[in-house]
Amino acid sequence: MTKETGKWLEDAGPRTRAIRSGIRRTPEGEHAEPIFTSSSFLFDSPEDAAAKFAGEVDGNVYSRYTNPTVRAFEERLAALEQGDAAVATASGMSAILALCLTHLKAGDHVLCSRDVFGATVGLFQNTLQKFGVGVSFVPLTDPDQWRGAAESNTRMLFIETPSNPLNAVADIAALAQISQDIGAILAVDNCFCSPALQTPLLLGADIVTHSATKYLDGQGRVLGGALVGPEELITPVVAFNRSCGPTMSAFNAWVMLKGLETLDLRMRAHSDNAQRLAEWLAEHSLVEAVHYCGLPDHPGHALAVRQQQGFGGVLAFEVAGGREAAWQFINGTELMSLTANLGDAKTTIVHPASTTHGRLTAEQRGAAGISEGLVRIAVGLEDLADLQSDCLRGFAALSR
Ligand SMILES: Cc1ncc(COP(=O)(O)O)c(C=O)c1O
């Protein structure tokens, strides 16, 4: 098996890296990347087995440790995020779990932004607290509050930007400075932008986490996650995966690997559709507010212009009438898929307060700005006119 490398690849632009990085070719001469669905790999001799087990020579042992297809995905993603190394995991949540269990210990403290994904709140607040890791939740957009909330044992700052579903935007460079000053690491969940629209490591973040389930796959087919960063932060996670097991399957890695080839084109198309739908919704008389960082009046717009290369595909809007109205709107739509996933070519719609953020207390939801009338649309790649017609069906279903 040979790996495709060359100086041209190191110097290549992001679209080329998304298509050409990480490729391994077998003697069969296949053009598309192969899927290595094998639990284990053969050794040449007991000596070879001992050396590979001990990590003295490179080579595959068992797919919980390494798998060539997973490796190809990791290399391609690292090339796009412009990090030294990446490690793939079974899901986005297992990436965050692996990060925390590798780099935190009992007695440590984490600062986490208040409006992260609901399961991330649960992980920090319920699971990690049981193991003696403390957490404080801080408003995403105010660096001064992060500095003020830091404790002598704060070891990690964790953010998601833009946030789900309100598109709040964090100043990555400012938070990176704070985390450096206090000797912590800054982890950025780059799910909403993907490396096509934002490269947090270049803004000073230490590590990027991904729910690859979303835009990296791009068609809602499989679950996956990943961490990207410097070798010294990633290598210990690889060791964690080896002993604890939340690895990505070869098939899922192959789906992600092929998904990355069209990431840049898709992200631009998602952003374009979302921008135009957000502008259109903002004009509608039954819409109280639209939350999309591509709109000039969004509080994070100027920062998003500075640190992102696009605004992404997710928007949220509020209809007057609370939960009842939000549910009526969703029930009135026909094209958009009522499902919790995002980052799919198919547009999805969801009521955050009763689903993705349903496990938060009403108080936590209030603090995170998740109102009962809020509807999230993860805008897909369909024709804009058809999405607008579907929204009109939703508005027509509102009892007035
Ligand atoms: C921003 C964000 N991070 C992490 C996750 C968790 O990813 P997964 O569902 O792949 O475990 C999600 C899932 O929706 C998400 O939206």
Side-chain angles (χ1 to χ4, degrees):
M1 193 166 64
T2 54
K3 216 181 125 185
E4 212 168 82
T5 50
K7 177 87 174 78
W8 62 268
L9 188 54
E10 283 163 36
D11 298 339
R15 283 195 189 180
T16 305
R17 277 182 269 131
I19 294 168
R20 295 286 175 175
S21 302
I23 295 179
R24 286 147 169 75
R25 297 203 190 282
T26 75
E28 299 297 337
E30 73 285 340
H31 185 219
E33 296 78 349
I35 315 176
F36 290 90
T37 52
S38 183
S39 319
S40 68
F41 296 85
L42 292 172
F43 305 115
D44 295 337
S45 63
E47 291 81 358
D48 181 45
K52 283 182 179 153
F53 256 85
E56 289 158 9
V57 296
D58 273 349
N60 297 302
V61 173
Y62 188 74
S63 281
R64 177 160 35 77
Y65 312 173
T66 57
N67 173 284
T69 313
V70 177
R71 203 62 219 115
F73 165 64
E74 291 168 339
E75 284 176 14
R76 191 168 286 180
L77 181 62
L80 292 182
E81 286 286 2
Q82 304 198 45
D84 295 341
V87 56
T89 56
S91 66
M93 288 319 300
S94 57
I96 302 172
L97 178 69
L99 166 70
C100 293
L101 292 187
T102 304
H103 290 293
L104 298 172
K105 59 181 185 326
D108 286 349
H109 174 251
V110 176
L111 287 179
C112 180
S113 55
R114 213 157 50 185
D115 33 12
V116 285
F117 177 59
T120 308
V121 175
L123 170 65
F124 282 117
Q125 188 165 269
N126 307 327
T127 312
L128 292 176
Q129 294 240 17
K130 276 202 305 199
F131 297 94
V133 175
V135 63
S136 305
F137 292 97
V138 191
L140 179 70
T141 54
D142 182 357
D144 288 342
Q145 290 205 42
W146 287 77
R147 203 176 276 282
E151 297 177 12
S152 58
N153 57 344
T154 302
R155 294 285 167 266
M156 185 188 291
L157 274 57
F158 188 97
I159 61 167
E160 198 182 298
T161 182
S163 71
N164 177 16
L166 295 178
N167 274 233
V169 182
D171 188 333
I172 297 176
L175 294 179
Q177 185 60 56
I178 294 170
S179 83
Q180 196 184 330
D181 292 347
I182 64 172
I185 58 173
L186 172 64
V188 178
D189 185 330
N190 201 22
C191 173
F192 267 42
C193 275
S194 88
L197 302 184
Q198 177 169 270
T199 40
L201 299 175
L202 299 185
L203 296 166
D206 297 288
I207 203 150
V208 164
T209 85
H210 270 291
S211 169
T213 315
K214 307 296 180 310
Y215 290 106
L216 304 192
D217 169 353
Q219 292 177 51
R221 295 164 291 190
V222 294
L223 288 185
L227 299 170
V228 190
E231 297 278 0
E232 69 265 24
L233 292 179
I234 297 300
T235 306
V237 183
V238 174
F240 170 87
N241 264 6
R242 180 173 173 161
S243 50
C244 299
T247 30
M248 180 181 276
S249 76
F251 177 76
N252 289 12
W254 181 81
V255 171
M256 305 295 180
L257 185 65
K258 301 305 283 176
L260 288 182
E261 293 184 354
T262 53
L263 181 68
D264 187 80
L265 292 173
R266 285 187 285 107
M267 290 313 293
R268 281 169 213 288
H270 280 293
S271 300
D272 191 45
N273 252 1
Q275 179 76 36
R276 293 195 285 154
L277 191 64
E279 287 168 3
W280 180 83
L281 283 168
E283 294 296 315
H284 200 285
S285 59
L286 295 175
V287 172
E288 291 191 323
V290 180
H291 306 274
Y292 182 64
C293 62
L295 295 179
D297 62 354
H298 186 279
H301 180 69
L303 185 52
V305 168
R306 236 175 36 234
Q307 74 180 14
Q308 298 172 200
Q309 286 79 53
F311 303 113
V314 181
L315 62 85
F317 67 98
E318 290 176 48
V319 283
R323 177 177 296 213
E324 199 189 342
W327 284 16
Q328 283 170 346
F329 179 90
I330 293 170
N331 279 326
T333 61
E334 293 172 12
L335 180 159
M336 295 187 271
S337 312
L338 175 53
T339 179
N341 201 24
L342 60 93
D344 196 312
K346 297 182 175 71
T347 296
T348 64
I349 188 165
V350 79
H351 178 243
S354 56
T355 57
T356 53
H357 293 66
R359 277 181 294 170
L360 304 186
T361 63
E363 199 183 27
Q364 284 172 325
R365 276 199 297 276
I370 310 295
S371 73
E372 289 291 328
L374 192 73
V375 174
R376 182 189 81 187
I377 298 182
V379 184
L381 304 178
E382 301 96 338
D383 290 303
L384 178 70
D386 294 324
L387 297 176
Q388 290 168 332
S389 300
D390 208 35
C391 287
L392 289 177
R393 282 189 284 270
F395 289 124
L398 296 185
S399 54
R400 274 167 268 156

